[in-house]
Each structure stands twice: as C-alpha cells, then as structure tokens.
Coordinates of all heavy atoms in Angstrom, one line a residue:
M283 N -30.9 -88.2 126.0 CA -30.8 -89.4 126.8 C -31.7 -90.5 126.4 O -31.4 -91.7 126.5 CB -31.1 -89.1 128.3 CG -29.7 -88.6 129.0 SD -30.1 -88.4 130.7 CE -28.9 -87.1 131.1
A284 N -32.8 -90.0 125.9 CA -33.9 -91.0 125.5 C -33.4 -91.8 124.2 O -33.8 -92.9 124.0 CB -35.1 -90.3 125.2
Q285 N -32.5 -91.1 123.4 CA -32.1 -91.7 122.2 C -30.6 -92.3 122.3 O -29.9 -92.2 121.4 CB -32.1 -90.6 121.1 CG -33.4 -90.1 120.8 CD -33.9 -90.5 119.4 OE1 -33.1 -90.6 118.5 NE2 -35.2 -90.6 119.2
A286 N -30.3 -92.8 123.5 CA -29.0 -93.2 123.7 C -28.4 -94.3 122.8 O -27.3 -94.3 122.4 CB -28.9 -93.8 125.2
K287 N -29.4 -95.0 122.2 CA -28.9 -96.1 121.3 C -28.5 -95.6 119.9 O -27.9 -96.4 119.1 CB -30.0 -97.2 121.1 CG -30.0 -98.1 122.4 CD -30.8 -99.3 122.2 CE -30.7 -100.2 123.4 NZ -31.7 -101.2 123.5
K288 N -28.8 -94.4 119.6 CA -28.4 -93.9 118.4 C -27.0 -93.3 118.4 O -26.5 -92.8 117.4 CB -29.3 -92.8 117.9 CG -29.9 -93.1 116.5 CD -30.5 -92.0 115.8 CE -30.5 -92.1 114.3 NZ -31.1 -91.0 113.6
G289 N -26.3 -93.4 119.5 CA -25.0 -93.0 119.6 C -24.8 -91.5 120.1 O -25.8 -90.8 120.0
R290 N -23.7 -91.1 120.3 CA -23.5 -89.7 120.9 C -23.8 -88.7 119.7 O -24.3 -87.7 119.9 CB -22.0 -89.5 121.3 CG -21.9 -90.0 122.7 CD -20.4 -90.3 123.0 NE -19.9 -91.4 122.2 CZ -18.6 -91.8 122.0 NH1 -17.7 -91.0 122.6 NH2 -18.3 -92.8 121.3
L291 N -23.4 -89.1 118.6 CA -23.5 -88.2 117.4 C -24.1 -89.0 116.2 O -24.0 -90.2 116.2 CB -22.2 -87.6 116.9 CG -21.5 -86.6 117.8 CD1 -20.0 -86.5 117.4 CD2 -22.2 -85.3 117.9
N292 N -24.8 -88.3 115.4 CA -25.3 -88.9 114.2 C -24.3 -88.8 113.1 O -24.0 -87.7 112.7 CB -26.6 -88.3 113.7 CG -27.8 -88.7 114.6 OD1 -27.7 -89.5 115.5 ND2 -28.9 -88.1 114.4
Y293 N -23.7 -90.0 112.7 CA -22.8 -89.9 111.6 C -23.4 -90.2 110.3 O -24.3 -91.1 110.2 CB -21.6 -90.9 111.8 CG -20.8 -90.6 113.0 CD1 -20.6 -91.4 114.1 CD2 -20.1 -89.3 113.0 CE1 -19.7 -91.0 115.1 CE2 -19.3 -88.9 114.1 CZ -19.1 -89.8 115.1 OH -18.3 -89.4 116.1
R294 N -22.9 -89.6 109.3 CA -23.5 -89.9 107.9 C -22.7 -91.1 107.4 O -21.6 -91.3 107.6 CB -23.1 -88.6 107.2 CG -23.5 -88.7 105.7 CD -23.0 -87.5 105.0 NE -23.8 -86.3 105.3 CZ -23.4 -85.1 105.3 NH1 -22.2 -84.7 105.0 NH2 -24.2 -84.1 105.7
C295 N -23.5 -91.9 106.7 CA -22.9 -93.1 106.1 C -22.0 -92.7 104.9 O -22.5 -92.1 103.9 CB -24.0 -94.1 105.6 SG -23.3 -95.4 104.7
P296 N -20.7 -93.0 105.0 CA -19.8 -92.6 103.9 C -20.0 -93.3 102.5 O -19.8 -92.8 101.5 CB -18.4 -92.8 104.4 CG -18.6 -93.8 105.6 CD -20.0 -93.6 106.1
A297 N -20.5 -94.5 102.7 CA -20.8 -95.3 101.5 C -21.9 -94.7 100.8 O -21.9 -94.6 99.5 CB -21.0 -96.8 101.8
C298 N -23.0 -94.3 101.5 CA -24.2 -93.7 100.8 C -23.8 -92.3 100.3 O -24.3 -91.9 99.3 CB -25.3 -93.7 101.8 SG -26.1 -95.3 102.1
F299 N -23.0 -91.6 101.1 CA -22.7 -90.2 100.7 C -22.0 -90.2 99.4 O -22.1 -89.3 98.6 CB -21.8 -89.6 101.9 CG -21.6 -88.2 101.7 CD1 -22.7 -87.3 101.5 CD2 -20.4 -87.6 101.7 CE1 -22.6 -85.9 101.3 CE2 -20.2 -86.2 101.5 CZ -21.3 -85.4 101.3
M300 N -21.2 -91.3 99.1 CA -20.5 -91.3 97.8 C -21.5 -91.4 96.7 O -21.2 -91.1 95.6 CB -19.7 -92.6 97.8 CG -18.2 -92.4 97.9 SD -17.2 -93.8 97.7 CE -17.2 -94.4 99.4
R301 N -22.7 -91.9 97.0 CA -23.7 -91.9 95.9 C -24.8 -90.9 96.1 O -25.9 -91.0 95.8 CB -24.4 -93.4 96.0 CG -23.5 -94.4 95.6 CD -24.2 -95.8 95.8 NE -23.2 -96.7 96.5 CZ -23.7 -97.6 97.4 NH1 -24.9 -97.8 97.7 NH2 -22.8 -98.4 97.9
D302 N -24.3 -89.7 96.8 CA -25.2 -88.6 97.0 C -26.4 -88.9 97.9 O -27.5 -88.3 97.7 CB -25.7 -88.1 95.6 CG -24.6 -87.3 94.9 OD1 -23.7 -86.8 95.6 OD2 -24.6 -87.2 93.7
L303 N -26.3 -89.9 98.8 CA -27.4 -90.1 99.7 C -27.0 -89.8 101.1 O -25.8 -90.1 101.5 CB -27.8 -91.6 99.7 CG -28.3 -92.1 98.4 CD1 -28.4 -93.7 98.4 CD2 -29.7 -91.6 98.1
D304 N -27.8 -89.0 101.8 CA -27.4 -88.4 103.1 C -28.1 -89.3 104.1 O -29.3 -89.0 104.5 CB -27.8 -87.0 103.2 CG -27.0 -86.4 104.4 OD1 -26.4 -87.1 105.2 OD2 -27.1 -85.2 104.5
I305 N -27.5 -90.4 104.6 CA -28.1 -91.3 105.4 C -27.5 -91.4 106.9 O -26.3 -91.5 107.0 CB -28.1 -92.8 104.9 CG1 -28.6 -92.8 103.5 CG2 -28.9 -93.7 105.8 CD1 -30.0 -92.6 103.3
D306 N -28.2 -91.3 108.0 CA -27.7 -91.3 109.3 C -27.4 -92.8 109.6 O -28.3 -93.7 109.3 CB -28.7 -90.8 110.3 CG -28.6 -89.3 110.4 OD1 -27.6 -88.7 109.9 OD2 -29.6 -88.7 110.9
M307 N -26.4 -93.0 110.3 CA -26.0 -94.4 110.7 C -26.5 -94.6 112.1 O -26.7 -93.7 113.0 CB -24.5 -94.6 110.7 CG -23.9 -94.3 109.4 SD -22.1 -94.6 109.3 CE -22.2 -96.4 109.3
F308 N -26.7 -95.9 112.4 CA -27.2 -96.3 113.8 C -26.0 -97.0 114.5 O -25.0 -97.4 113.9 CB -28.3 -97.3 113.6 CG -29.6 -96.7 113.3 CD1 -29.9 -96.5 111.9 CD2 -30.5 -96.3 114.3 CE1 -31.1 -95.8 111.6 CE2 -31.7 -95.7 113.9 CZ -32.0 -95.4 112.5
Y309 N -26.1 -97.0 115.8 CA -25.0 -97.4 116.6 C -25.3 -98.8 117.3 O -26.4 -98.9 117.9 CB -24.7 -96.4 117.7 CG -23.6 -96.8 118.6 CD1 -22.2 -97.0 118.1 CD2 -23.8 -97.0 120.0 CE1 -21.2 -97.3 119.0 CE2 -22.8 -97.4 120.9 CZ -21.5 -97.6 120.4 OH -20.5 -97.9 121.2
D310 N -24.4 -99.8 117.1 CA -24.6 -101.1 117.7 C -23.8 -101.2 118.9 O -22.5 -101.3 118.8 CB -24.2 -102.1 116.7 CG -24.5 -103.5 117.2 OD1 -24.5 -103.8 118.4 OD2 -24.7 -104.4 116.3
E311 N -24.4 -101.1 120.1 CA -23.7 -101.2 121.4 C -22.9 -102.4 121.6 O -21.8 -102.4 122.1 CB -24.7 -101.0 122.5 CG -24.9 -99.6 123.0 CD -25.8 -99.5 124.2 OE1 -25.4 -99.7 125.3 OE2 -27.0 -99.3 123.9
E312 N -23.4 -103.6 121.2 CA -22.7 -104.8 121.4 C -21.5 -105.0 120.6 O -20.4 -105.4 121.1 CB -23.6 -106.0 121.0 CG -24.6 -106.4 122.1 CD -25.6 -107.4 121.5 OE1 -25.3 -108.4 120.8 OE2 -26.8 -107.3 122.0
K313 N -21.5 -104.5 119.4 CA -20.3 -104.6 118.6 C -19.4 -103.3 118.6 O -18.3 -103.2 118.1 CB -20.7 -104.8 117.1 CG -21.3 -106.2 116.9 CD -21.7 -106.3 115.4 CE -22.5 -107.6 115.1 NZ -23.1 -107.6 113.8
D314 N -20.0 -102.3 119.3 CA -19.3 -101.0 119.4 C -19.0 -100.5 118.0 O -17.8 -100.1 117.7 CB -18.1 -101.0 120.3 CG -17.5 -99.7 120.5 OD1 -18.2 -98.7 120.5 OD2 -16.3 -99.6 120.7
E315 N -19.9 -100.5 117.1 CA -19.7 -99.9 115.8 C -21.0 -99.4 115.2 O -22.1 -99.6 115.6 CB -19.1 -101.0 114.8 CG -20.0 -102.1 114.6 CD -19.3 -103.1 113.6 OE1 -18.1 -103.2 113.5 OE2 -20.1 -103.8 113.0
Y316 N -20.8 -98.5 114.2 CA -21.9 -97.9 113.5 C -22.3 -98.6 112.3 O -21.4 -99.3 111.6 CB -21.5 -96.4 113.1 CG -21.4 -95.6 114.4 CD1 -20.2 -95.5 115.1 CD2 -22.5 -94.7 114.7 CE1 -20.2 -94.7 116.2 CE2 -22.4 -94.0 115.9 CZ -21.3 -93.9 116.6 OH -21.1 -93.1 117.7
Y317 N -23.5 -98.7 112.0 CA -23.9 -99.3 110.8 C -25.0 -98.6 110.0 O -25.8 -97.8 110.6 CB -24.5 -100.8 111.1 CG -25.7 -100.8 112.0 CD1 -26.9 -101.0 111.5 CD2 -25.5 -100.7 113.4 CE1 -28.0 -101.0 112.3 CE2 -26.7 -100.7 114.2 CZ -27.9 -100.8 113.7 OH -29.0 -100.8 114.4
C318 N -25.2 -98.9 108.7 CA -26.1 -98.3 107.9 C -27.2 -99.2 107.5 O -27.0 -100.3 107.1 CB -25.4 -97.7 106.6 SG -26.5 -97.0 105.4
L319 N -28.5 -98.8 107.7 CA -29.6 -99.7 107.3 C -29.8 -99.9 105.8 O -30.3 -100.8 105.3 CB -30.9 -99.1 107.9 CG -31.1 -99.3 109.4 CD1 -32.3 -98.6 109.8 CD2 -31.1 -100.7 109.8
R320 N -29.3 -98.9 105.1 CA -29.5 -98.9 103.7 C -28.6 -99.7 102.8 O -29.0 -100.4 101.9 CB -29.5 -97.4 103.2 CG -30.1 -97.3 101.8 CD -30.1 -95.9 101.3 NE -30.5 -95.8 100.0 CZ -31.8 -95.4 99.6 NH1 -32.6 -95.1 100.6 NH2 -32.1 -95.4 98.4
C321 N -27.2 -99.6 103.2 CA -26.3 -100.3 102.3 C -25.4 -101.3 103.0 O -24.5 -101.8 102.4 CB -25.4 -99.2 101.7 SG -24.2 -98.5 102.9
Q322 N -25.7 -101.6 104.2 CA -24.9 -102.7 104.9 C -23.5 -102.3 105.3 O -22.7 -103.0 105.9 CB -24.7 -103.9 104.1 CG -26.0 -104.5 103.4 CD -26.9 -105.1 104.3 OE1 -26.7 -105.8 105.2 NE2 -28.2 -104.7 104.2
F323 N -23.2 -101.0 105.1 CA -21.8 -100.6 105.5 C -21.9 -100.6 107.1 O -22.8 -100.3 107.7 CB -21.6 -99.1 105.0 CG -20.4 -98.6 105.6 CD1 -19.1 -98.8 105.0 CD2 -20.4 -97.7 106.7 CE1 -17.9 -98.2 105.5 CE2 -19.2 -97.3 107.3 CZ -18.0 -97.4 106.7
H324 N -20.7 -101.0 107.7 CA -20.5 -100.9 109.1 C -19.0 -100.6 109.4 O -18.2 -101.1 108.7 CB -21.2 -102.0 109.8 CG -20.5 -103.3 109.5 ND1 -19.4 -103.8 110.1 CD2 -20.6 -104.2 108.4 CE1 -19.0 -105.0 109.6 NE2 -19.7 -105.2 108.5
G325 N -18.8 -100.0 110.6 CA -17.4 -99.8 111.0 C -17.4 -99.1 112.4 O -18.5 -98.5 112.7
D326 N -16.2 -99.1 113.0 CA -16.2 -98.4 114.3 C -16.1 -96.9 114.0 O -15.9 -96.4 112.9 CB -15.0 -98.9 115.1 CG -13.7 -98.7 114.5 OD1 -13.6 -97.9 113.5 OD2 -12.7 -99.4 114.9
E327 N -16.2 -96.1 115.1 CA -16.3 -94.7 115.0 C -15.1 -94.1 114.2 O -15.2 -93.2 113.4 CB -16.3 -94.0 116.4 CG -16.5 -92.6 116.4 CD -16.7 -92.1 117.8 OE1 -16.5 -92.9 118.8 OE2 -17.1 -90.9 118.0
K328 N -13.9 -94.7 114.4 CA -12.6 -94.2 113.8 C -12.7 -94.3 112.3 O -12.4 -93.4 111.6 CB -11.5 -95.0 114.4 CG -10.1 -94.4 114.0 CD -9.0 -95.1 114.8 CE -7.7 -94.7 114.3 NZ -7.2 -95.7 113.2
K329 N -13.2 -95.4 111.9 CA -13.3 -95.8 110.4 C -14.3 -94.8 109.8 O -14.1 -94.3 108.7 CB -13.7 -97.2 110.2 CG -13.6 -97.7 108.8 CD -14.0 -99.1 108.7 CE -14.0 -99.5 107.2 NZ -14.6 -100.9 107.1
V330 N -15.4 -94.6 110.4 CA -16.5 -93.8 109.9 C -16.0 -92.3 109.8 O -16.2 -91.7 108.8 CB -17.7 -93.8 110.8 CG1 -18.8 -92.8 110.4 CG2 -18.4 -95.2 110.8
L331 N -15.3 -91.8 110.8 CA -14.8 -90.5 110.8 C -13.7 -90.3 109.7 O -13.7 -89.4 109.0 CB -14.2 -90.1 112.2 CG -15.2 -89.8 113.3 CD1 -14.5 -89.6 114.6 CD2 -16.0 -88.6 112.9
E332 N -12.9 -91.4 109.6 CA -11.9 -91.2 108.6 C -12.4 -91.2 107.2 O -12.0 -90.3 106.3 CB -11.0 -92.6 108.6 CG -9.7 -92.4 109.4 CD -8.9 -93.7 109.5 OE1 -9.1 -94.6 108.6 OE2 -8.2 -93.9 110.5
L333 N -13.4 -92.1 106.9 CA -14.0 -92.0 105.6 C -14.7 -90.8 105.3 O -14.7 -90.2 104.2 CB -14.9 -93.3 105.4 CG -14.2 -94.6 105.3 CD1 -15.2 -95.7 105.4 CD2 -13.5 -94.7 104.0
N334 N -15.4 -90.3 106.3 CA -16.1 -89.0 106.1 C -15.2 -87.8 105.9 O -15.5 -86.9 105.1 CB -17.0 -88.7 107.3 CG -18.5 -89.2 107.1 OD1 -19.1 -89.2 106.1 ND2 -19.0 -89.8 108.3
E335 N -14.1 -87.9 106.6 CA -13.1 -86.8 106.4 C -12.5 -86.9 105.0 O -12.4 -85.8 104.3 CB -12.0 -87.1 107.4 CG -11.1 -85.8 107.6 CD -11.9 -84.7 108.2 OE1 -12.8 -84.9 109.0 OE2 -11.7 -83.6 107.7
Q336 N -12.2 -88.1 104.4 CA -11.8 -88.2 103.0 C -12.8 -87.6 102.0 O -12.5 -86.9 101.1 CB -11.6 -89.6 102.7 CG -10.2 -90.2 103.3 CD -10.1 -91.7 103.0 OE1 -10.7 -92.2 102.1 NE2 -9.4 -92.4 103.9
L337 N -14.1 -88.0 102.3 CA -15.1 -87.6 101.4 C -15.3 -86.0 101.5 O -15.5 -85.4 100.4 CB -16.4 -88.2 101.7 CG -16.5 -89.7 101.4 CD1 -17.8 -90.4 101.9 CD2 -16.5 -89.9 99.9
R338 N -15.2 -85.5 102.6 CA -15.4 -84.0 102.7 C -14.3 -83.3 101.9 O -14.6 -82.4 101.3 CB -15.3 -83.6 104.2 CG -15.8 -82.3 104.5 CD -15.7 -82.0 106.0 NE -16.3 -83.0 106.8 CZ -16.0 -83.2 108.1 NH1 -15.2 -82.4 108.7 NH2 -16.6 -84.1 108.8
W339 N -13.1 -83.9 102.1 CA -12.0 -83.3 101.3 C -12.2 -83.3 99.8 O -12.1 -82.4 99.1 CB -10.7 -84.0 101.7 CG -9.5 -83.4 101.1 CD1 -8.8 -82.3 101.5 CD2 -8.9 -83.8 99.9 NE1 -7.8 -82.0 100.7 CE2 -7.7 -82.9 99.7 CE3 -9.0 -84.9 99.0 CZ2 -6.9 -83.1 98.6 CZ3 -8.2 -85.0 97.9 CH2 -7.2 -84.2 97.7
K340 N -12.6 -84.5 99.4 CA -12.8 -84.8 98.0 C -13.9 -83.9 97.4 O -13.7 -83.2 96.5 CB -13.2 -86.2 97.8 CG -12.8 -86.9 96.5 CD -13.6 -88.2 96.4 CE -12.7 -89.3 96.0 NZ -13.4 -90.6 96.1
Y341 N -15.1 -83.9 98.0 CA -16.2 -83.1 97.6 C -16.0 -81.7 97.8 O -16.4 -80.9 97.0 CB -17.5 -83.6 98.2 CG -18.0 -84.9 97.7 CD1 -17.5 -86.1 98.0 CD2 -19.1 -84.8 96.8 CE1 -18.0 -87.3 97.4 CE2 -19.6 -86.0 96.2 CZ -19.0 -87.2 96.6 OH -19.5 -88.4 96.0
G342 N -15.3 -81.3 98.9 CA -15.0 -79.9 99.1 C -14.2 -79.3 98.0 O -14.5 -78.3 97.5
S343 N -13.2 -80.1 97.6 CA -12.3 -79.6 96.5 C -13.1 -79.5 95.2 O -12.9 -78.5 94.4 CB -11.2 -80.6 96.3 OG -10.5 -80.9 97.5
M344 N -14.0 -80.4 94.9 CA -14.7 -80.4 93.7 C -15.6 -79.1 93.7 O -15.7 -78.4 92.7 CB -15.7 -81.5 93.6 CG -15.0 -82.8 93.0 SD -16.0 -84.2 93.2 CE -17.4 -83.9 92.1
R345 N -16.3 -78.8 94.8 CA -17.1 -77.7 94.8 C -16.4 -76.4 94.7 O -16.8 -75.5 94.0 CB -17.9 -77.6 96.2 CG -19.0 -78.7 96.3 CD -20.1 -78.3 97.2 NE -20.9 -79.5 97.4 CZ -20.9 -80.3 98.5 NH1 -20.0 -80.0 99.4 NH2 -21.7 -81.3 98.6
E346 N -15.2 -76.4 95.3 CA -14.4 -75.1 95.1 C -14.1 -74.8 93.7 O -14.2 -73.7 93.2 CB -13.0 -75.3 95.9 CG -12.9 -74.6 97.2 CD -11.6 -74.9 97.9 OE1 -10.6 -74.8 97.3 OE2 -11.7 -75.4 99.1
R347 N -13.7 -75.9 93.0 CA -13.4 -75.7 91.5 C -14.6 -75.2 90.8 O -14.5 -74.4 89.9 CB -12.8 -76.9 91.0 CG -11.4 -77.3 91.5 CD -10.9 -78.6 91.0 NE -10.2 -78.5 89.8 CZ -9.6 -79.5 89.2 NH1 -9.7 -80.7 89.8 NH2 -9.0 -79.4 88.1
I348 N -15.7 -75.8 91.1 CA -16.9 -75.4 90.3 C -17.3 -74.0 90.6 O -17.7 -73.2 89.7 CB -18.1 -76.3 90.7 CG1 -17.9 -77.7 90.2 CG2 -19.4 -75.8 90.2 CD1 -18.7 -78.8 90.9
T349 N -17.1 -73.5 91.9 CA -17.4 -72.2 92.2 C -16.5 -71.2 91.5 O -16.9 -70.2 91.0 CB -17.3 -72.0 93.8 OG1 -18.0 -73.0 94.4 CG2 -17.8 -70.6 94.1
E350 N -15.3 -71.6 91.4 CA -14.3 -70.7 90.8 C -14.6 -70.6 89.3 O -14.5 -69.6 88.6 CB -12.9 -71.3 90.9 CG -12.2 -70.9 92.2 CD -10.9 -71.6 92.4 OE1 -10.3 -72.0 91.5 OE2 -10.6 -71.8 93.7
F351 N -15.1 -71.7 88.7 CA -15.3 -71.8 87.3 C -16.5 -70.8 87.0 O -16.5 -70.1 86.0 CB -15.7 -73.2 86.9 CG -16.0 -73.4 85.4 CD1 -14.9 -73.4 84.5 CD2 -17.2 -73.6 85.0 CE1 -15.1 -73.5 83.2 CE2 -17.5 -73.7 83.6 CZ -16.4 -73.7 82.7
D352 N -17.6 -70.9 87.8 CA -18.8 -70.0 87.7 C -18.4 -68.5 87.8 O -19.0 -67.7 87.1 CB -19.8 -70.4 88.7 CG -20.6 -71.6 88.3 OD1 -20.5 -72.0 87.1 OD2 -21.2 -72.2 89.1
D353 N -17.4 -68.3 88.6 CA -17.1 -66.9 88.8 C -16.3 -66.3 87.6 O -16.5 -65.3 87.1 CB -16.2 -66.8 90.1 CG -16.1 -65.4 90.6 OD1 -17.1 -64.7 90.5 OD2 -15.1 -65.1 91.3
Ligands
ZN46 ZN1 -25.0 -96.5 103.7

C-alpha cells in the first residue's frame, strides 16, 4: 500500500529487455500508463503485457534451442 504509485505489479520494460536490460517500469496514474525511466518507452498495461509476452516467446524459443544443442 505504501508503494501504490508503482502500480499493482512491477512490469519489465520490453524495450530494455530487448537489449538485455532488466528494468522495472513506473506507473503514471494521470495517464494510466507505464513508463521506463531509462529508455523513454511508455504504454498502457495491455501494450506492456503484449510486448513482454512476445519477447518471452522469442527468447524462450531461443533458449530451448541452445539447451538442445548443448545436450
Ligand atoms: Zn526501457
């Protein structure tokens, strides 16, 4: 409750994650959107979730192949 302004959940910035940076986004109550202090990326919750989902799929597939290769 003390950290209400950071949003219900901490979302990772998808734009930074693409560059291997794991940055938590902040929540802007007035605009009802999340923003990143590092790269200027901003978007509503739906957009952030969508992009994170795409990245998870992409990176997840990559890791799977690498693991298989090592085996
Ligand atoms: Zn960012």
Side-chain angles (χ1 to χ4, degrees):
M283 273 186 211
Q285 297 244 334
K287 282 195 178 165
K288 231 191 159 189
R290 279 160 291 170
L291 293 164
N292 287 351
Y293 291 122
R294 177 183 288 155
C295 172
C298 285
F299 189 53
M300 249 184 275
R301 289 174 229 147
D302 285 333
L303 295 169
D304 196 351
I305 310 291
D306 278 346
M307 300 183 79
F308 286 85
Y309 179 64
D310 187 332
E311 263 180 87
E312 276 174 38
K313 292 180 189 165
D314 187 29
E315 61 178 28
Y316 289 83
Y317 64 96
C318 174
L319 286 176
R320 193 179 176 102
C321 75
Q322 314 287 318
F323 173 87
H324 62 94
D326 61 18
E327 185 172 12
K328 191 168 168 271
K329 189 178 177 188
V330 173
L331 284 175
E332 259 175 32
L333 287 169
N334 268 319
E335 199 60 40
Q336 281 173 27
L337 286 173
R338 196 179 308 159
W339 182 81
K340 209 192 227 171
Y341 281 78
S343 309
M344 272 169 69
R345 286 205 192 101
E346 253 173 55
R347 289 174 90 178
I348 292 164
T349 310
E350 274 170 29
F351 185 75
D352 282 342
D353 201 27

